[in-house]
């Protein structure tokens, strides 16, 4: 089945859904989206870690800069 055919089939099924099932499909899609974003974040953190951006000394230095620029009191 081509991508266009699959989209047409899915659209037809979505159009036929009632409220509760439509809400369930939305939750499934939101879960998929959250998983994809989580994977992107993981990859980004891995890249930052490999680049040394998350080394303890670097994190402490950045925190000190932020605290100086935005004191709590």
């Amino acid at each position: 089945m081509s991508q266009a055919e699959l989209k047409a089939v899915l659209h037809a099924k979505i159009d036929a859904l009632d409220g509760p099932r439509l809400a369930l499909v939305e939750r499934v899609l939101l879960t998929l989206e959250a998983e994809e974003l989580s994977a992107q974040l993981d990859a980004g953190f891995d890249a930052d870690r490999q680049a040394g951006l998350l080394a303890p000394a670097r994190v402490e230095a950045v925190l000190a800069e932020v605290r100086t620029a935005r004191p709590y009191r």
Side-chain angles (χ1 to χ4, degrees):
M1 183 179 298
S2 72
Q3 186 174 353
E5 292 170 327
L6 182 58
K7 283 183 179 184
V9 168
L10 290 174
H11 281 285
K13 287 183 178 188
I14 289 171
D15 286 340
L17 292 176
D18 60 0
R21 290 196 180 265
L22 192 56
L24 176 61
V25 169
E26 181 188 25
R27 285 195 304 274
V28 169
L29 291 173
L30 289 172
T31 300
L32 176 62
E33 188 176 314
E35 289 175 1
E36 290 173 351
L37 291 172
S38 176
Q40 290 174 8
L41 282 171
D42 283 346
F45 276 113
D46 288 344
D48 287 349
R49 196 172 291 108
Q50 288 178 349
L53 297 175
L54 297 177
R58 171 79 173 133
V59 171
E60 287 298 325
V62 170
L63 286 173
E65 290 176 24
V66 170
R67 289 178 179 145
T68 299
R70 298 177 186 232
Y72 292 113
R73 295 181 184 168

